[in-house]
C-alpha cells in the first residue's frame, strides 16, 4: 500500500499553476468562473494558447503530439485548469473521439484528423444519443448503408453538445440492423455536409449547448468509418471504461465547492450554522469521492468488475447538484434572478461572481440523467458486482 | 372537521380551472414568460371574476370569503404556474394593508380587488436572511425614506408601494418599523426591474429621500399578517404546482419506453412517484393545518407557518427534481413544460424566507423550551 | 371546509387529562415513559382501572360496553393516555379482534368473548404472519380442517406480539387451500390448548414481546370460527382499512418527541444547533402527519382510493425511527449503554428517563417492516392511486 | 499510489480471517457477548500472533508495521464484530502512550503488545460533546486526581488507566491537560462496569483523590495522536462490518421469497443494495485518504479525520439500517446475526465524537475560511 500521491508531482502542479497564471487571460477566467456555458470565442482562443504550449492534448500519447504525461499529471493539469478557470475545450474531440482514432484508425485517418484537432483548427461534436434511445444505447436507430465508396446515413441524434460549433461529428450508427449491439459502427460525419440539419435545444438554464441533429441521406466516404464495421459498440464502450475513473468530475466539483465557499463568505450566508453544516457535508463527500477517483486510477489495470465508474458517476453528479443548490441558496434574494447569458452590462443587481450560478444549477439537472442515468448506474452495480 | 369544498369554494375552483384551461395553456404562458410576464387582459379577468377579492369580506370589496378561498384560487393558479402577481398584490400587499387598520387602507384594498390599482410590498432586504423584522431602510422624522429593497415581486406592474422603514431601534427589532405608501414613480424612487427564473418579474428599489404617506407607525403586526397569508397562499400554489408536475410525470412514464418496457414498469420509478405523492400530501396537510390556525395568536401562528414552509420547501425541491429526473433529457429543455415546474418549485422554497431559515425559527423555539 | 377541531373537544381533553392525573399510578407512568415493553403486571393493573371507569374499550359501541365516544374523542383519549404514560393495553384484542367479533360474530360469540376482554380478565394475541409469508399474507400456509364439530389446526405463526401473556389467539388460517385470499378464515384458538407451543423471540433490544407459535393438531370447536368460512381475508382487510387513519401512530410519535425534547434539554444536547435543527425537522414532519391523520379520519367515509393509510404508515414509521435515533444521540456517552429490562436497581449510570431509549430504538427497527413493509406500501401507492 | 496489500499485509489479513472463521463464528461470539464479553484465550492468541503490535515498529515490540497494518487487522475484526478491546488497548492507549514520549512509555507499550498488560485511556467526560480537549477532571499539584470519566471502553479488562486531568486553564483549553498512569485498583478509583449495545464492555470511573504517575505534563498532542489512530481503526472496523453486513444481506435476499419471487428480483431492493455498496466504498475511500495523511500536521489531520468520521457515521447508519430492513422481521431478532451488525454500526457513529460532532468541526473550519 502506498496511500499518498508521490510528492514529485507537487513540482508539476506548481509548474502548471505558474503557467496558467501567466497564460490565462483574466477576463477569460472571470467568465469561466461565472459558470455560464463557454463561448466559442473563448474556446477558440484558449485552444490556440494550449496548442502553442503543446498542452492541448494532455492525455494524448507523445507520438500524436501529446506532452507525454502520465495519468496523475493529466489529472493534476485538469484540476488546475478548472480551479484557474480555463474555458472548456473540445472534450468530445479530445477525450472521446481522438483515442478511438489513434487506437482503431488507419494511419491516414490519424493524419487526417488528429493534427487539426490538436491545433484547435477543427471542432468536434458527439452523436451517441437518439430521441427514442435515451439511456438505452443498444436500441439506436440511425442507419448507415453502404453505397459504393460511401455510406448513406439517415437518422436523428440528440443531446449533441456544442455540435453547432462543430466541423465534424462522430456518431454511433447501425450498420447491421438485425444485430443489436454488434451491428453498430463508429463513423465521422462532416457537420456541414448536405442533409445535416442542426436544431438548437435551449436548456432550462436558458443556455444553448445542446442540439438535435437530423441526418437526411448524408453521405460520407467509406473510409470515414473507424476500425471495423459493426464493432463500434465495443470501441465506444472501451473508451467509456477508460474514462470511468473520472466520472465523478472531481475538478468541476472542486471548482464549484471553491466558488460556493467564496460566494457564501461574500454574502454572509456562511455564518448560518445550518448552512455551514451542509457545506461541510458536501466537502466531506467530495474528499471521499476524490480519493475514490484515485483508487480507480490506481486500480485501472486491475480488470475487476468492481463498478467504481458507476459509483463515481452517481455520487459525483449528485454532489454537483447539491453544490449548485447551495450556491443558489447562498445568493439569498438574488438566487432566482435571471442573468442573461453573454450580457455584459445592464445586468440585474447581485454579486457578479454569482451571475452564472442559476443557469448552471438549472443545466446541471442533466448530470444525473446523461451518460447513463443514475438509475441505470444503480442497476449496473446491482447486476454486475452484487449479482442480484 | 371537514375538508370538502363548499359550494362557493367549488365554484371558485372550477371557474379558475376553466379559465386556465382555456387561456393559460403551456405555450401561451411560455410566450408571456419571455415577453413582459404580465397580461392586463388576464388581470382584468381576475378582477371581473372577483378573484382578486376571493379572500376578502364583502365590505372589503371581496366575495365574502377568507384565507381558504384565496388558497383554493392559489392552488389552481399554481397548477398553471401563473406569472401575474396575484400573490404579491391580492394577498401579501392586501393583507398587510388590512393589518394596518389605517383609515385609507380599506378603500385601497377595494381598489385592488376591483383591479383599479396594483400595490406591492417593498420589504425584503439583502441582509434579512429570512428574519421578518429585519429593516435597515430608514425613515426620517419628515417621513423621507432611505434604503434599498430587493426582490419586490410584481413591482414592475404596480402603481404604489408599501415600504417598510425603520423609525427607531436596531435592524432586527420588531418595534420601530413604520409602513409608508409610496407612489412607484415618486421622486427619489429608483427601480431596477428583472426577470426571475420562474418567469415572474421583480425589482430592486432604491429610496433616496423618497416621500410617502404613513399608514402604520408600528407596522410589524401588519407585515406579519401579510406574510402569514402570503405563506399559506404560496404553499397552496406549491401544492397545485406539485400536483400538476406529478401527474404530468405519471403520464409521461406511462408512455416512454426504455429497454423494451414503458418506464412505469420499473419498480424504482414507481416508488419514486409514490414518494412524490407522499411529499405533496405532506405539504397539503401542513397547509390545511396552517390555514385552520391562521387566526391564532401570532407566536403560535409563526411556528405553524415555519413548519409549513419547512415542509413546503422540502417537498417542492424533491418533487421538482424528481419530475425532471423521471423525464430524462427532455425534462431539461426549455420547450417542455416540466422544467418550468422545477423552476417555480425551486423558487417556492427560497422566497418569503427559505425552508432552511424557517427551520431555524422552529429550532430556536425548541431550544427555548417549546 | 372546516379546518379546526371543534373546540367542544377541549373540555373532553381536559376531563381525560384530569382523570389520568388521578387514576394513573406515578410509578406505572414512569415505567411506561422509560419506554421498555410494558410488563404484564402493569398491563393487568391498568386494564382493571380502565374497566372500572368504563373506558376500557374507547372505540367500542355503547351496546358492547364502550363509552359511546366519537372517533375524535377516541383519538384524544389515546393521545392523552400516551402523553401521560399509561401502559400499553391489549391492542390486538381491543382494536383488531373485538370489532371482528361484534361485526361478524354470533350473539353467542359476542357474549363469550367481549365481556371478559373488556373486564381485563382475558388477554388476546394475534396470529396473522407466518415464517414464509412475511408481508405476503395471501400465501399463508396454516391449515384448519373441519373434523365433525371441530377444526384441526396445523401451522406456525410468527411475530405474534405478547402471545405469551395471552389466553386466546385469533388467527387467519387456510380453510380452502386451493383458493388464495378467498380460502382464508378467521378463527379463535385457546392459547393453553394441547398442541400450542410458544417460543419466545427476543428482539435486538433484548426485550421479549414477539413469539413464534406452533400449532400442532390443535382442536377448536367449530363455532370458534368467526363469520363465514373462507371469508376471513375480507374481515381482516376491512378492519385494517378502518385502522388506516391511525397508521402514523401519532400518539406514540408525540410522546416520543416530547421525551426527546426533555432528554435533550436534560443532557444539554439541545444547545447544539445542528441537533436542534434535526429535532425541528422531525417536529415539522410530525405536525404535517398529525394533520394528515385528521384528514384521513374526516375523509374516512369518502371511499376514495387515495392511499392515505400507506402514506401515514411510511412516514409515521420513518419518523418514529428518526426520533429514536435522535434520542440515542441526545444521550451522548450513555446512548449505547444497555439498561436491562425490568431491572430496578444497580443500573448503569446515565439519566433514568433514558433507560429504555436504546431498547426501544432497537425494537423499532421493526416498524418499517411490519404491517406491510414500507416497500410494499410504496407499491400500493403506485399501483392503486397512481395507476403505474 | 498503490492500494494493493503487500506480502506482510496480506499475511496479517489472511491470518486474522482464518482465526476468525475458526474461532469467532456468530454463535461463539454471541455467547461471549452475553457472557463477560472477553476471552483471555483470544487475547493470548492476539499477542502470540503479533496482532497487538501490528501497528508498531519492531523496537516498540511490534511487527514493524504501521497504521495501515493495524487498519487491515481492524477491518478483519470488524467483519466478525470483535468484542475484545483491540482498539481501546492496542490502538488508542498504545498510540497515546507513544505520543507522550515518556521514558517508561515504550516499555509499557511493549508489555501491551506482548499481551502482558492491558491499558486503556480514561478521557471521555459527559459534557465533552465530541470536543477532544474537554477535560474537567482535575489534578492537584500533588498529582491527586478528582473527577469522573465515562465510556471507558475495555476498562473492565484493564490493569492500568491513562487518565487525562486538567492542571490549568478552562475545561476546553488544549493546554493544561496532564496524563497520568493510574492502577485500576488504586485507592480513590471507583469503577462502575456496564455492557454496551454491541456487547463490548465499558466503565464509568470516579476518581476521588486517586494518585497516579505523571506521564505527560502537556498531553493534548498525545491524546490527539491516540484518537487519530483510534478513528482510522474504527473506520476500518466499520468498513469490515459494513462489508460483511452487505454480503450477508445480499445472500439473504437471493434466497428469501415473497410474492412468488426471490427478493433480489425487486428493482427497489437491487438499488438499495447498490446504495449500500456505494456508502461502504465512500467510507473506504475516506479511510484510505485519512490513513495516507495520518502523519500530516495535526490541524490538517483533524479535518481529514472529521471528514472520515462524517462519512463513516453516515454510511454505518445507512448500511446497518438497510441490512435489517432488507431482512424483514428476522433482522430484528437477537438470534440472527444482522441485527448485531446494526448495533455495532450504530455505535460506531456515536463513539469517539459522533459524526454530527465531527461535521461541526468541518463547518467551523469552513466558516473560518478553510
Amino acid at each position: 500500500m502506498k496511500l499518498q500521491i508521490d510528492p514529485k508531482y507537487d513540482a508539476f502542479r506548481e509548474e502548471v499553476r505558474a503557467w496558467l497564471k501567466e497564460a490565462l487571460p483574466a477576463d477569460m477566467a472571470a467568465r469561466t468562473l461565472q459558470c455560464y456555458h463557454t463561448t466559442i470565442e473563448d474556446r477558440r482562443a484558449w485552444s490556440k494558447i494550449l496548442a502553442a504550449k503543446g498542452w492541448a492534448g494532455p492525455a494524448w500519447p507523445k507520438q500524436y503530439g501529446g506532452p507525454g504525461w502520465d495519468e496523475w499529471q493529466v489529472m493534476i493539469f485538469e484540476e488546475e485548469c478548472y480551479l484557474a478557470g480555463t474555458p472548456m475545450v473540445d472534450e468530445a474531440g479530445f477525450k472521446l473521439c481522438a483515442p478511438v482514432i489513434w487506437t482503431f484508425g488507419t494511419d491516414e485517418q490519424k493524419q487526417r484528423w488528429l493534427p487539426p484537432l490538436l491545433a484547435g483548427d477543427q471542432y468536434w461534436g458527439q452523436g451517441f444519443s437518439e430521441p427514442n434511445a435515451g439511456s438505452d444505447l443498444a436500441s439506436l436507430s440511425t442507419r448507415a448503408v453502404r453505397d459504393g465508396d460511401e455510406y448513406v446515413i439517415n437518422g436523428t441524434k440528440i443531446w449533441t453538445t456544442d455540435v453547432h460549433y462543430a466541423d465534424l461529428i462522430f456518431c454511433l450508427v447501425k450498420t447491421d440492423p438485425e444485430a443489436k449491439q454488434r451491428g453498430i459502427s463508429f463513423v465521422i460525419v462532416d457537420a456541414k455536409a448536405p442533409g445535416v440539419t442542426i436544431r438548437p435545444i435551449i436548456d432550462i438554464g436558458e443556455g444553448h449547448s445542446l442540439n438535435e441533429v437530423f441526418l437526411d441521406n448524408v453521405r460520407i466516404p467509406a473510409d470515414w468509418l473507424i476500425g471495423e464495421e459493426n464493432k463500434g459498440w465495443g470501441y465506444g464502450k472501451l473508451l467509456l471504461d477508460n474514462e470511468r475513473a473520472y466520472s465523478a468530475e472531481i475538478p468541476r466539483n472542486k471548482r464549484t465547492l471553491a466558488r460556493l465557499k467564496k460566494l457564501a463568505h461574500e454574502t454572509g450566508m456562511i455564518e448560518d450554522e445550518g448552512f455551514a453544516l451542509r457545506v461541510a457535508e458536501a466537502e466531506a463527500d467530495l474528499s471521499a469521492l476524490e480519493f475514490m477517483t484515485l483508487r480507480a486510477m490506481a486500480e485501472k489495470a486491475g480488470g475487476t468488475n468492481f463498478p467504481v465508474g458507476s459509483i463515481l458517476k452517481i455520487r459525483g453528479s449528485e454532489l454537483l447538484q447539491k453544490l449548485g443548490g447551495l450556491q443558489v441558496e447562498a445568493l439569498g434574494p438574488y438566487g432566482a434572478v435571471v442573468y442573461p447569458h453573454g450580457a455584459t452590462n445592464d445586468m440585474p443587481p447581485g454579486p457578479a461572481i454569482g451571475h452564472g450560478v442559476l443557469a448552471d444549477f438549472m443545466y446541471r439537472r442533466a448530470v444525473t440523467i446523461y451518460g447513463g442515468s443514475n438509475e441505470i448506474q444503480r442497476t449496473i452495480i446491482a447486476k454486475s458486482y452484487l449479482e442480484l | 372537521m371537514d375538508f370538502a369544498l363548499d359550494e362557493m369554494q367549488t365554484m371558485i375552483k372550477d371557474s379558475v380551472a376553466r379559465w386556465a384551461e382555456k387561456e393559460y395553456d403551456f405555450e401561451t404562458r411560455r410566450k408571456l414568460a419571455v415577453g413582459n410576464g404580465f397580461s392586463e387582459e388576464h388581470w382584468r379577468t381576475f378582477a371581473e371574476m372577483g378573484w382578486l377579492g376571493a379572500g376578502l369580506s364583502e365590505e372589503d370589496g371581496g366575495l365574502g370569503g377568507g384565507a381558504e378561498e384565496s388558497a383554493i384560487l392559489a392552488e389552481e393558479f399554481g397548477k398553471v404556474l401563473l406569472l401575474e402577481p396575484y400573490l404579491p398584490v391580492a394577498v401579501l400587499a392586501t393583507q398587510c394593508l388590512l393589518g394596518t387598520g389605517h383609515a385609507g387602507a380599506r378603500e385601497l384594498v377595494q381598489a385592488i380587488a376591483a383591479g383599479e390599482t396594483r400595490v406591492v410590498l417593498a420589504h425584503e432586504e439583502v441582509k434579512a436572511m429570512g428574519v421578518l423584522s429585519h429593516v435597515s431602510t430608514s425613515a426620517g422624522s419628515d417621513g423621507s425614506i432611505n434604503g434599498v429593497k430587493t426582490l419586490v415581486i410584481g413591482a414592475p406592474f404596480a402603481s404604489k408601494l408599501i415600504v417598510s422603514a425603520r423609525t427607531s431601534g436596531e435592524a432586527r427589532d420588531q418595534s420601530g418599523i413604520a409602513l409608508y405608501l409610496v407612489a412607484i414613480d415618486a421622486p427619489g424612487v429608483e427601480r431596477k426591474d428583472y426577470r426571475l427564473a420562474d418567469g415572474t418579474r421583480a425589482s430592486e428599489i432604491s429610496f433616496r429621500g423618497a416621500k410617502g404617506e404613513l399608514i402604520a407607525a408600528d407596522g410589524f403586526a401588519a407585515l406579519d399578517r401579510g406574510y402569514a397569508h402570503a405563506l399559506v397562499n404560496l404553499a397552496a400554489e406549491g401544492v397545485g404546482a406539485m400536483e400538476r408536475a406529478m401527474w404530468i410525470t405519471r403520464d409521461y412514464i406511462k408512455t416512454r419506453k426504455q429497454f423494451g418496457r414503458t418506464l412505469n414498469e420499473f419498480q424504482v420509478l414507481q416508488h419514486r412517484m409514490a414518494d412524490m405523492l407522499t411529499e405533496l400530501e405532506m405539504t397539503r396537510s401542513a397547509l390545511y393545518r396552517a390555514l385552520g390556525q391562521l387566526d391564532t395568536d401570532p407566536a403560535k401562528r409563526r411556528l405553524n407557518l415555519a413548519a409549513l414552509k419547512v415542509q413546503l420547501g422540502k417537498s417542492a425541491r424533491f418533487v421538482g427534481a424528481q419530475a425532471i429526473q423521471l423525464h430524462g433529457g427532455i425534462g431539461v429543455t426549455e420547450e417542455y413544460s416540466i422544467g418550468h415546474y422545477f423552476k417555480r418549485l425551486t423558487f417556492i422554497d427560497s422566497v418569503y424566507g427559505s425552508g432552511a431559515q424557517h427551520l431555524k425559527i422552529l429550532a430556536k423555539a425548541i431550544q427555548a423550551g417549546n
Side-chain angles (χ1 to χ4, degrees), chain A, chain B:
Chain A
M1 275 188 158
K2 196 184 159 314
L3 301 177
Q4 302 83 17
I5 299 185
D6 197 316
K8 78 180 179 200
Y9 291 107
D10 291 351
F12 176 75
R13 192 184 285 277
E14 281 313 314
E15 184 194 348
V16 171
R17 194 174 285 180
W19 179 74
L20 284 169
K21 205 167 171 180
E22 195 186 289
L24 176 64
D27 60 326
M28 203 183 266
R31 278 191 295 275
T32 311
L33 292 175
Q34 275 188 338
C35 83
Y36 293 113
H37 295 305
T38 310
T39 64
I40 186 65
E41 293 75 21
D42 278 351
R43 185 176 300 227
R44 290 221 161 93
W46 180 242
S47 292
K48 288 287 176 193
I49 295 172
L50 282 173
K53 175 73 178 173
W55 287 359
W60 287 32
K62 226 166 173 161
Q63 64 186 113
Y64 303 117
W69 292 336
D70 66 21
E71 60 189 342
W72 301 96
Q73 290 174 302
V74 173
M75 178 198 70
I76 289 165
F77 179 71
E78 188 163 7
E79 217 170 274
E80 290 300 320
C81 282
Y82 263 89
L83 285 172
T86 66
M88 282 281 284
V89 288
D90 181 358
E91 297 236 323
F94 279 97
K95 289 192 172 172
L96 290 175
C97 190
V100 174
I101 292 173
W102 78 57
T103 310
F104 303 106
T106 62
D107 283 348
E108 203 195 323
Q109 289 171 331
K110 294 178 198 171
Q111 267 312 313
R112 188 187 305 145
W113 287 313
L114 295 180
L117 173 58
L118 199 66
D121 291 334
Q122 270 182 352
Y123 286 77
W124 289 75
Q126 180 245 67
F128 282 2
S129 295
E130 297 190 1
N132 293 312
S135 284
D136 177 14
L137 276 186
S139 71
L140 295 180
S141 67
T142 295
R143 287 289 315 274
V145 178
R146 183 74 181 242
D147 179 27
D149 281 351
E150 296 182 323
Y151 285 95
V152 183
I153 302 175
N154 279 286
T156 308
K157 293 291 178 181
I158 199 166
W159 317 127
T160 48
T161 306
D162 290 335
V163 81
H164 53 301
Y165 301 143
D167 303 292
L168 296 159
I169 313 171
F170 58 99
C171 298
L172 289 179
V173 295
K174 271 267 164 73
T175 35
D176 176 358
E178 301 307 313
K180 269 220 129 178
Q181 298 174 358
R182 275 172 307 178
I184 289 171
S185 297
F186 192 105
V187 300
I188 313 284
V189 174
D190 181 345
K192 319 286 186 223
V196 176
T197 313
I198 293 171
R199 185 183 77 86
I201 299 175
I202 305 303
D203 66 66
I204 53 172
E206 303 189 10
H208 174 205
S209 67
L210 304 172
N211 302 274
E212 193 165 6
V213 180
F214 302 97
L215 303 165
D216 180 19
N217 282 317
V218 176
R219 289 181 169 266
I220 61 167
D223 80 334
W224 284 35
L225 183 148
I226 310 285
E228 287 181 58
E229 203 179 73
N230 297 338
K231 295 249 169 112
W233 175 262
Y235 305 163
K237 206 169 158 351
L238 191 77
L239 290 157
L240 292 175
D241 281 355
N242 277 345
E243 283 290 306
R244 68 184 192 136
Y246 310 99
S247 313
E249 293 207 70
I250 297 301
R252 183 187 300 281
N253 265 308
K254 277 192 167 179
R255 177 167 83 192
T256 309
L257 177 63
R259 195 185 39 237
L260 164 61
K261 287 180 181 177
K262 199 170 165 199
L263 196 55
H265 277 281
E266 202 169 313
T267 63
M269 184 63 94
I270 201 68
E271 284 150 42
D272 183 294
E273 187 168 335
F275 185 81
L277 287 168
R278 282 180 289 140
V279 176
E281 222 165 330
E283 182 166 79
D285 242 38
L286 176 55
S287 71
L289 269 177
E290 184 186 5
F291 225 78
M292 203 190 295
T293 297
L294 300 180
R295 281 173 63 194
M297 286 170 62
E299 289 167 359
K300 218 167 169 177
T304 69
N305 69 342
F306 182 66
V308 70
S310 294
I311 295 178
L312 288 169
K313 165 65 176 26
I314 293 170
R315 297 299 290 259
S317 59
E318 287 176 358
L319 179 58
L320 214 43
Q321 292 184 342
K322 202 184 296 174
L323 291 171
L326 287 166
Q327 284 186 97
V328 170
E329 197 175 335
L331 277 166
Y334 300 117
V337 176
V338 174
Y339 302 95
H341 289 251
T344 47
N345 52 18
D346 199 37
M347 274 294 208
I353 177 188
H355 282 180
V357 158
L358 179 73
D360 191 57
F361 169 71
M362 292 291 168
Y363 176 68
R364 302 270 165 223
R365 296 319 305 176
V367 296
T368 49
I369 294 167
Y370 63 50
S373 73
N374 285 12
E375 286 78 11
I376 285 173
Q377 303 299 341
R378 287 190 172 88
T379 296
I380 290 172
I381 294 169
K383 299 274 183 194
S384 70
Y385 185 68
L386 297 170
E387 297 176 12
L388 288 169
Chain B
M1 292 184 119
D2 185 4
F3 295 86
L5 305 191
D6 65 25
E7 209 177 326
M8 178 182 168
Q9 292 168 338
T10 307
M11 197 200 71
I12 292 176
K13 185 183 162 82
D14 291 349
S15 64
V16 181
R18 266 197 310 275
W19 171 81
E21 198 180 344
K22 223 176 104 206
E23 308 285 344
Y24 225 78
D25 61 286
F26 175 65
E27 276 311 313
T28 307
R29 180 204 176 270
R30 210 179 133 212
K31 279 185 202 117
L32 196 58
V34 295
N36 68 359
F38 183 86
S39 154
E40 288 286 357
E41 190 195 326
H42 292 160
W43 200 261
R44 268 196 305 277
T45 305
F46 298 175
E48 284 160 14
M49 298 297 287
W51 297 342
L52 299 176
L56 300 178
S57 67
E58 288 177 23
E59 56 186 356
D60 288 332
L63 293 178
E68 290 159 12
E69 283 67 25
S70 176
I72 288 164
L73 193 69
E75 185 175 336
E76 292 305 311
F77 281 158
K79 288 181 185 167
V80 294
L81 305 175
L82 190 84
L83 295 162
E84 284 82 1
Y86 167 76
L87 209 155
V89 174
V91 180
L92 178 54
T94 296
Q95 292 295 334
C96 182
L97 281 169
L98 290 174
T100 62
H102 181 64
R106 178 173 293 173
E107 210 173 316
L108 192 52
V109 165
Q110 287 168 346
I112 292 171
E116 291 156 11
T117 186
R118 284 186 290 271
V119 180
V120 295
L121 173 61
H123 172 60
E124 179 82 19
E125 298 184 6
V126 171
K127 294 283 172 206
M129 301 265 180
V131 177
L132 184 57
S133 60
H134 181 103
V135 175
S136 66
T137 296
S138 64
S141 51
D142 63 342
S144 67
I145 302 167
N146 283 286
V148 180
K149 298 291 183 178
T150 194
L151 202 66
V152 186
I153 304 170
F157 318 118
S159 58
K160 283 199 179 72
L161 302 168
I162 306 165
V163 184
S164 59
R166 186 161 291 287
T167 52
S168 68
E170 300 293 318
R172 295 189 166 184
D173 288 353
Q174 291 190 1
S175 63
I177 302 171
L179 299 178
Y180 297 86
L181 209 56
V182 179
I184 195 82
D185 53 2
V189 176
E190 198 179 307
R191 220 173 75 231
K192 174 87 181 167
D193 297 344
Y194 47 84
R195 183 160 57 91
L196 298 175
D198 62 355
T200 60
R201 298 299 198 276
S203 311
E204 180 144 307
I205 308 179
S206 306
F207 299 89
R208 295 196 188 117
K211 292 275 172 69
E213 176 195 358
L214 181 73
I215 57 171
D218 221 357
F220 181 76
L223 286 171
D224 193 40
R225 172 179 169 156
Y227 276 99
H229 282 262
L231 266 177
V232 294
N233 279 274
L234 182 75
E237 253 198 79
V239 164
M242 282 191 269
E243 184 171 348
R244 185 60 59 89
M246 184 188 75
W247 290 117
I248 291 172
T249 306
R250 198 285 300 259
D251 292 346
Y252 182 78
I253 71 168
K254 283 190 86 161
T255 54
R256 171 78 175 169
K257 280 197 172 187
Q258 289 267 281
F259 304 101
R261 292 195 284 169
T262 51
L263 290 181
N264 69 302
E265 294 177 57
F266 292 92
Q267 196 191 25
V268 160
L269 306 190
Q270 292 171 359
H271 283 205
R272 198 79 57 79
M273 287 223 68
D275 288 338
M276 290 167 73
L277 174 67
T278 299
E279 284 297 330
L280 158 63
E281 293 300 330
M282 287 291 280
T283 299
R284 198 194 298 278
S285 300
L287 165 62
Y288 286 165
R289 181 170 184 269
L291 254 180
Q293 298 176 29
L294 205 52
D295 295 327
T296 50
D297 76 290
K300 202 178 157 193
R301 180 172 71 186
R302 206 161 299 135
L303 295 183
N304 284 335
L305 291 170
L308 170 59
K309 191 71 205 291
V310 168
Q311 182 64 58
L312 171 64
K314 207 170 69 163
S315 299
R317 275 181 282 117
F318 179 81
V319 172
Q322 292 308 321
I324 286 189
Q325 183 70 20
L326 267 56
H327 272 81
I330 197 175
V332 194
T333 66
E334 189 75 1
E335 63 195 338
Y336 192 80
S337 66
I338 204 70
H340 297 268
Y341 284 87
F342 172 73
K343 294 186 195 194
R344 179 76 194 140
L345 289 170
T346 303
F347 185 51
I348 277 177
D349 175 31
S350 72
V351 77
Y352 301 153
S354 69
Q357 287 158 342
H358 278 91
L359 186 63
K360 216 155 83 174
I361 294 175
L362 279 188
K364 283 202 188 310
I366 290 170
Q367 286 178 321
N370 265 86

